[in-house]
Amino acid sequence: MTPSASSTDRDVERLCLALSAELIASGFLRGTFRSALDTILALAIAQANLAPMARNLAFQKTYAGLSSPPPDEVRRPVRSRSIAISLGIPQETARRRVALMVESGFLVQTSAGVYMPKSVTATPVYIETAKATWRAIGDLYCALRRAGALDAPTGGTGDGEIPHRYMMRLWGDHFLRLIETLLSMVHEPLGIVLLFTILRESQATGAGAGEPVSALALSRSLGLPFETVRRNALRLAENGLCQKASRGYVITAELLDTPIWRQFAERHRVILTRFFSIMGERDLLGWWEADYQAANR
């Protein structure tokens, strides 16, 4: 690899990390569910409910926009045990958290398992999350096009209703794939959420400033017990993915250049690039490409 290619790859990796730090952290802080663990479980359940339709392009196009949430009758119930196993979460923890979400109306219990009803995916919070996610990924798409990291799509420019829901289903698959791929490095799904939240918060004051964020602040923002956050943050620090400072945990610009972060960033870039490839295969890049072309006229 040439030096310029290596430099480009690193720029792309940092752009991808910044996107996930923003989307994952802001998504989990939005307040739909009680905690980050509930959010992970709800996402995995919602994705599993519609998994049989994932390759049905007619279904995907019919229920692509915000005005067309998939009806409850096409949502296949899934058992909390299966979700717990797939995420590497203790089964009793998953069962207890799912039961609370059923009581709260976020999930519906049936004899075959649980599913997320259409009503939950039509709430203002979901709709705003979908719109914010579309804008953020679109900004990344334009940045990657400018960097030469993505080719122009073969399809035409987007027209009609923006396929927010279609994109969110693909993004959900991307996030769950990210968890699965990075578990060998981070060990727990919550650790990935925590890592990206530290990345976002510790650099929120500007340009790699590396301001520490306390375990207490992370606990409050993620809706997780302090001890759970402290234990996972310490493990991240022990594995070299963050640093423990006197006032909390931090990810510095120097840390991002260490071998373990280079490995983490490279894996993440590959997964996110694959997400754009799938979006291209489904002719879903036209709207973002139109924005890119308009900005570069």
Side-chain angles (χ1 to χ4, degrees):
M1 180 179 293
T2 65
S4 59
S6 177
S7 176
T8 298
D9 283 345
R10 292 213 176 188
D11 289 341
V12 169
E13 287 169 3
R14 288 191 170 95
L15 286 169
C16 291
L17 287 172
L19 172 85
S20 289
E22 177 57 32
L23 286 186
I24 292 173
S26 64
F28 281 88
L29 301 181
R30 203 172 290 275
T32 304
F33 301 100
R34 295 182 182 183
S35 73
L37 180 55
D38 287 354
T39 305
I40 293 174
L41 286 166
L43 173 62
I45 289 168
Q47 293 296 113
N49 293 155
L50 296 175
M53 298 294 182
R55 296 188 180 278
N56 185 327
L57 297 185
F59 167 88
Q60 295 283 30
K61 291 179 180 179
T62 299
Y63 302 107
L66 289 175
S67 64
S68 305
D72 288 349
E73 52 265 29
V74 303
R75 299 172 188 266
R76 181 190 64 181
V78 61
R79 298 197 181 280
S80 60
R81 177 178 179 274
S82 299
I83 296 298
I85 292 173
S86 68
L87 292 174
I89 294 173
Q91 293 181 35
E92 179 56 27
T93 299
R95 186 201 64 77
R96 186 173 64 252
R97 301 309 306 176
V98 166
L100 289 172
M101 284 190 277
V102 170
E103 290 179 10
S104 301
F106 290 119
L107 299 174
V108 173
Q109 182 72 58
T110 73
S111 59
V114 295
Y115 69 88
M116 180 179 290
K118 168 184 173 180
S119 58
V120 172
T121 67
T123 61
V125 171
Y126 177 90
I127 290 172
E128 180 52 39
T129 299
K131 289 180 177 178
T133 302
W134 178 271
R135 290 192 298 268
I137 298 179
D139 289 343
L140 175 63
Y141 174 85
C142 292
L144 295 181
R145 288 280 284 119
R146 287 192 295 270
L150 291 177
D151 295 327
T154 56
T157 57
D159 54 12
E161 185 178 10
I162 296 174
H164 288 102
R165 290 186 184 277
Y166 198 168
M167 177 276 301
M168 287 292 280
R169 291 191 288 269
L170 294 177
W171 172 252
D173 286 342
H174 156 73
F175 177 67
L176 294 175
R177 190 174 296 112
L178 176 69
I179 286 180
E180 181 181 358
T181 302
L182 300 181
L183 272 179
S184 62
M185 300 176 67
V186 182
H187 303 296
E188 291 188 26
L190 285 178
I192 295 173
V193 176
L194 186 60
L195 183 65
F196 279 114
T197 304
I198 294 172
L199 179 62
R200 180 197 188 213
E201 297 299 318
S202 68
Q203 301 195 39
T205 54
E211 292 294 328
V213 55
S214 70
L216 181 59
L218 291 165
S219 170
R220 289 172 175 170
S221 64
L222 292 173
L224 292 169
F226 171 81
E227 182 56 31
T228 298
V229 170
R230 188 193 69 82
R231 184 180 67 252
N232 278 276
L234 281 175
R235 180 176 292 175
L236 291 175
E238 290 169 358
N239 290 339
L241 288 165
C242 72
Q243 294 176 353
K244 189 177 186 305
S246 59
R247 292 183 290 116
Y249 299 87
V250 63
I251 297 172
T252 63
E254 293 77 16
L255 189 61
L256 292 175
D257 278 329
T258 59
I260 186 145
W261 257 103
R262 295 287 307 115
Q263 182 184 11
F264 184 93
E266 182 178 357
R267 289 186 184 182
H268 177 260
R269 174 180 59 82
V270 169
I271 294 169
L272 192 49
T273 303
R274 176 58 181 156
F275 165 78
F276 281 115
S277 296
I278 295 173
M279 290 285 288
E281 292 168 2
R282 306 291 177 90
D283 292 328
L284 298 175
L285 296 177
W287 289 267
W288 293 332
E289 180 65 19
D291 291 340
Y292 170 76
Q293 295 295 341
N296 289 275
R297 288 194 182 111

